[in-house]
Amino acid sequence: MKKIFLSIFLSFAIAANAADIYVAPNGDDTADGSKATPLKSLRIALRQAREMRRLADTPLAEPVNIHILSGTYNLHEPLYVRPEDSGTPLSPTVIIGHDASLSGGVSVTGWRKEGKCYVADTPVFNGNLIDFRQLYVNGVKAVRARDVAVFDDMAHILSLDKKKQVFYLPLTKAVRSLAQAYADRRYIMKHTPAEMVLHEMWCVAVLRIKDIKIQGDSAAVTVHQPESTIQFEHPWPSPMVNTKPYVTEDGRTLNLNSAFYLTNHPALLDHPGEWYHDVRAHKIYYYPRKGEKIMSAVAPALESLVIVEGTADRPVHDICFRNLSFTHSTWMRPSTDGHVPLQAGMFMYEGYKLRPAMVRPDRNHKLDNQGFLGRPASAVTVRYAADVSFDKCRFTQLGSSGIDYAEGTSRGCISNSLFTDIAGNGIVAGTFSPAAYETHLPYMPSDRRVICDGLVIANNTVHNVATEDWGTLGICCGVVSNCIIAHNEIYDVSYSAINLGWGWTQSVNAMYGNEVYRNYIHHYARHEYDCAGIYTLSAQPKTFITENVVEKIYHPTYAHDPNHWFYLYCDEGSSFITVKDNWTEGEKFLQNANGPCNTWENNGPQVHDSIRANAGIRPNLDITNLRKQIQTRKPKKQP
């Protein structure tokens, strides 16, 4: 053991004068980290860089580059980046991938054919059997067994009883199958609950079924706690019930009662490409597509892959991740506690009506509900950090959010990166009210260091995100200040493309000086309405939404209100925002319960074609010049 520690120490000393450290899948963590004899793990490479800086006689004047050589690096725990790993402006720590991927997954092997399905044993991760909500077969995300192959075929709830906390569903084939299974009490002991995914205006709720019984011409469904009480007590969003059919302009009749689908039950495993995990029997079943053989299968095991975290007094700083892939994360709360979100995927610990409604100051309308929120996991999380950036990275096959600059961040940049095949939000930034802080209150902390300030989100491609949690977004910013969202292309999202703001309030808060500039947004609202290409909330002085392009919205047949969609949408409390020179293919905008001093000017299809030409991804975009260009429009200090 002493020899191993001595070898590691000597490797630090050998590399102390080098600016490059190498990591390879076949490396050795007792090696010196040179290209000829690379390390095996990024964790040890970070430690070596840390020691290099600590032991240097004078501050380093060049970057310390950690090269991650080609391959997949399966993590056993998140990579933690701490203040001790910080660089300097002259000598940042740059983590560079060379066709390299950090994966939180574990291979599923030993598949054997049983009837129509392939079957494998539940994999072991860090000595334990795992549960998971995604499975990737031959590099493609498989479908968790459900009762519909096409979401337009979803059934609709009949009614509900809030006092008794009961849903009433039509007697579809799948509903009958589940009712028959639940009638056998041994089933409940042998299987984890089936789930009902319920469409609710601008969100979906994931509800674990406790019991289902046929009663006459319908089925009565109860769901587990804690989600049952949250679901039936909170008023927004609510299921649509007893809604009259809607006839579209082309003569189609739509059922506007809330749609739902059923999942996570062996009887629903009836379509090629689907899978089911029998958690208690420790078996995975996969129904192959025609002619398909399983060459590889991966189940995600970690909720977080990278956590960059300092403190308000000692932030992590001057770190850059470049050209690196982040894959195979999960998020298990829906399986253990259900998932009842308020908006943007932020889930409720508690939500209920206020009777009588609460009077609020500053021209705000009365508040009719309260809510206390949690935040979904993210593959990469940054907290209390300055000048931490991600450039030319790839975020894919993730079970919740892609990247989250959660709180206490200053400057930093997410640029030239790809976000795709993500279950929740692509990019998240800022506070969405701390868990103990009622979410409608204006957020103005006395210590402004907790605010996400000066983040640049630029030149990213965000598509095929919000694939499971349909109420999430491409880019989702809550309470942020001086944030720039520019030159991104966002498409194939389930709800709105960009959210800016939080709190539903005109009152003074910490949001200020944000910019949404020259983004190209198309093919949005695949599943949810009450949406827009760009959506804002609350007062945001000196905020500009300019020169964006928004077009081509989806038209799901189960949207709660077929007309309630927009290109640009300033929602409750939006104030002091300039919306100008945005090209949209029509003039369908909304200003709902807005505050004062918003400016709307020259938005719609008449905007000059140069706006369309300049929006979206720009090759070789100069982020520094972009920031300077935009900052010329900002006042020197907050009013």
Side-chain angles (χ1 to χ4, degrees):
M1 184 65 73
K2 289 181 180 179
K3 289 183 179 180
I4 293 175
F5 286 144
L6 178 60
S7 176
I8 293 174
F9 176 80
L10 288 175
S11 74
F12 291 149
I14 291 170
N17 294 320
D20 294 278
I21 301 169
Y22 290 85
V23 180
N26 61 349
D28 184 342
D29 280 340
T30 65
D32 65 0
S34 66
K35 191 172 185 179
T37 54
L39 299 169
K40 185 177 180 62
S41 67
L42 181 52
R43 178 176 65 87
I44 296 300
L46 273 173
R47 187 186 300 177
Q48 183 162 315
R50 183 190 304 172
E51 288 296 284
M52 183 186 302
R53 295 183 186 282
R54 186 178 69 86
L55 298 174
D57 293 331
T58 60
L60 300 182
E62 60 183 347
V64 175
N65 299 310
I66 300 176
H67 299 273
I68 314 300
L69 301 182
S70 179
T72 298
Y73 296 78
N74 294 102
L75 303 174
H76 296 283
E77 64 176 348
L79 175 71
Y80 293 97
V81 183
R82 300 179 172 94
E84 287 75 13
D85 299 308
S86 298
T88 67
L90 289 178
S91 177
T93 298
V94 185
I95 301 168
I96 308 169
H98 300 269
D99 192 27
S101 174
L102 302 184
S103 171
V106 58
S107 293
V108 182
T109 59
W111 293 95
R112 54 201 178 272
K113 197 73 183 297
E114 291 185 9
K116 67 182 181 181
C117 291
Y118 283 103
V119 183
D121 295 331
T122 300
V124 174
F125 180 77
N126 289 351
N128 296 297
L129 295 170
I130 62 169
D131 193 9
F132 46 91
R133 297 181 64 84
Q134 296 83 29
L135 180 69
Y136 302 93
V137 177
N138 298 331
V140 177
K141 185 178 182 179
V143 176
R144 198 164 180 241
R146 64 184 188 226
D147 63 335
V148 293
V150 178
F151 290 118
D152 283 342
D153 294 336
M154 287 188 293
H156 299 258
I157 64 174
L158 299 174
S159 61
L160 54 82
D161 186 327
K162 289 191 174 184
K163 185 175 182 180
K164 295 181 179 179
Q165 299 187 1
V166 177
F167 292 102
Y168 293 94
L169 309 184
L171 292 179
T172 65
K173 179 181 177 181
V175 170
R176 289 181 182 275
S177 294
L178 261 65
Q180 183 177 3
Y182 272 77
D184 182 354
R185 308 315 292 177
R186 294 172 296 178
Y187 170 86
I188 299 175
M189 299 299 297
K190 292 181 179 180
H191 295 81
T192 54
E195 295 173 5
M196 178 170 71
V197 180
L198 178 65
H199 191 281
E200 294 187 289
M201 297 180 169
W202 56 84
C203 291
V204 290
V206 180
L207 307 171
R208 299 167 303 139
I209 296 175
K210 181 179 181 181
D211 202 2
I212 178 168
K213 295 179 179 178
I214 295 176
Q215 295 184 356
D217 59 355
S218 65
V221 174
T222 55
V223 300
H224 283 282
Q225 299 291 0
E227 65 264 38
S228 181
T229 294
I230 298 169
Q231 172 64 45
F232 285 98
E233 283 191 347
H234 83 276
W236 304 107
S238 292
M240 301 286 285
V241 291
N242 301 321
T243 304
K244 293 181 180 180
Y246 177 86
V247 180
T248 65
E249 292 181 355
D250 59 2
R252 293 176 298 144
T253 300
L254 304 181
N255 183 345
L256 298 187
N257 275 16
S258 283
F260 69 92
Y261 68 88
L262 303 172
T263 185
N264 195 43
H265 187 274
L268 306 177
L269 186 62
D270 58 0
H271 194 273
E274 291 186 332
W275 66 278
Y276 170 72
H277 185 198
D278 190 336
V279 177
R280 295 179 185 173
H282 314 311
K283 302 292 182 185
I284 305 168
Y285 297 84
Y286 177 70
Y287 190 161
R289 297 176 176 87
K290 186 176 181 180
E292 183 180 27
K293 294 183 179 179
I294 299 180
M295 308 303 294
S296 67
V298 177
L302 290 178
E303 293 192 339
S304 297
L305 309 182
V306 176
I307 298 175
V308 181
E309 185 167 14
T311 68
D313 295 316
R314 199 160 183 267
V316 181
H317 58 87
D318 296 291
I319 303 279
C320 179
F321 291 81
R322 181 173 297 147
N323 198 37
L324 192 60
S325 293
F326 304 90
T327 63
H328 306 138
S329 68
T330 189
W331 185 48
M332 294 308 298
R333 180 180 169 85
S335 292
T336 59
D337 296 88
H339 178 52
V340 185
L342 175 64
Q343 194 163 312
M346 306 300 155
F347 62 88
M348 285 180 276
Y349 289 114
E350 185 178 21
Y352 58 95
K353 288 183 178 180
L354 291 174
R355 293 292 183 269
M358 180 185 297
V359 177
R360 297 192 291 175
D362 296 338
R363 300 177 300 276
N364 292 295
H365 62 67
K366 291 182 178 180
L367 181 63
D368 68 353
N369 72 103
Q370 294 208 313
F372 299 88
L373 305 184
R375 190 181 190 110
S378 182
V380 175
T381 301
V382 181
R383 287 189 176 91
Y384 293 103
D387 297 297
V388 171
S389 298
F390 291 78
D391 183 55
K392 298 178 182 176
C393 291
R394 178 181 173 89
F395 297 78
T396 186
Q397 297 187 344
L398 304 175
S400 187
S401 300
I403 190 169
D404 188 348
Y405 276 60
E407 60 185 356
T409 65
S410 59
R411 298 176 301 279
C413 186
I414 305 167
S415 59
N416 305 306
S417 295
L418 173 66
F419 296 80
T420 188
D421 197 358
I422 296 174
N425 291 298
I427 298 171
V428 188
T431 301
F432 293 82
S433 66
Y437 194 90
E438 203 286 316
T439 194
H440 300 90
L441 294 174
Y443 189 59
M444 191 67 165
S446 57
D447 187 348
R448 290 294 298 272
R449 293 177 299 174
V450 305
I451 301 301
C452 176
D453 181 80
L455 177 65
V456 175
I457 302 170
N459 232 40
N460 302 288
T461 300
V462 183
H463 75 100
N464 192 32
V465 300
T467 59
E468 296 180 28
D469 193 351
W470 292 349
T472 53
L473 303 99
I475 297 175
C476 184
C477 294
V479 178
V480 294
S481 62
N482 299 306
C483 180
I484 297 171
I485 306 169
H487 283 293
N488 302 283
E489 182 175 2
I490 307 168
Y491 62 99
D492 282 341
V493 293
S494 296
Y495 177 47
S496 299
I498 296 175
N499 177 96
L500 181 63
W502 197 251
W504 299 269
T505 177
Q506 300 177 37
S507 302
V508 174
N509 63 78
M511 288 181 286
Y512 170 77
N514 299 305
E515 181 93 18
V516 182
Y517 177 67
R518 291 187 175 180
N519 299 281
Y520 177 37
I521 295 164
H522 57 101
H523 295 94
Y524 62 102
R526 181 187 288 275
H527 297 298
E528 303 282 350
Y529 270 12
D530 193 19
C531 66
I534 301 171
Y535 172 93
T536 71
L537 278 171
S538 297
Q540 304 183 46
K542 296 299 181 181
T543 288
F544 294 83
I545 298 171
T546 58
E547 300 186 33
N548 300 282
V549 171
V550 184
E551 63 179 349
K552 298 177 182 176
I553 189 169
Y554 284 107
H555 296 286
T557 60
Y558 41 85
H560 72 281
D561 182 342
N563 293 314
H564 203 62
W565 62 267
F566 307 94
Y567 297 111
L568 306 170
Y569 184 173
C570 288
D571 203 1
E572 295 192 35
S574 293
S575 312
F576 306 101
I577 299 172
T578 296
V579 184
K580 182 180 179 181
D581 296 335
N582 298 285
W583 188 94
T584 60
E585 60 185 351
E587 294 185 357
K588 201 169 193 301
F589 312 130
L590 183 62
Q591 300 177 63
N592 177 50
N594 283 189
C597 300
N598 289 327
T599 299
W600 286 70
E601 182 179 338
N602 192 37
N603 302 292
Q606 79 285 351
V607 172
H608 196 274
D609 285 346
S610 63
I611 299 298
R612 298 198 70 185
N614 289 326
I617 302 296
R618 299 288 92 180
N620 304 314
L621 180 67
D622 188 327
I623 301 297
T624 301
N625 283 339
L626 173 68
R627 191 193 294 267
K628 288 179 179 178
Q629 173 189 349
I630 290 175
Q631 287 302 321
T632 61
R633 300 161 64 171
K634 308 296 183 185
K636 293 182 179 179
K637 62 180 181 179
Q638 181 172 352

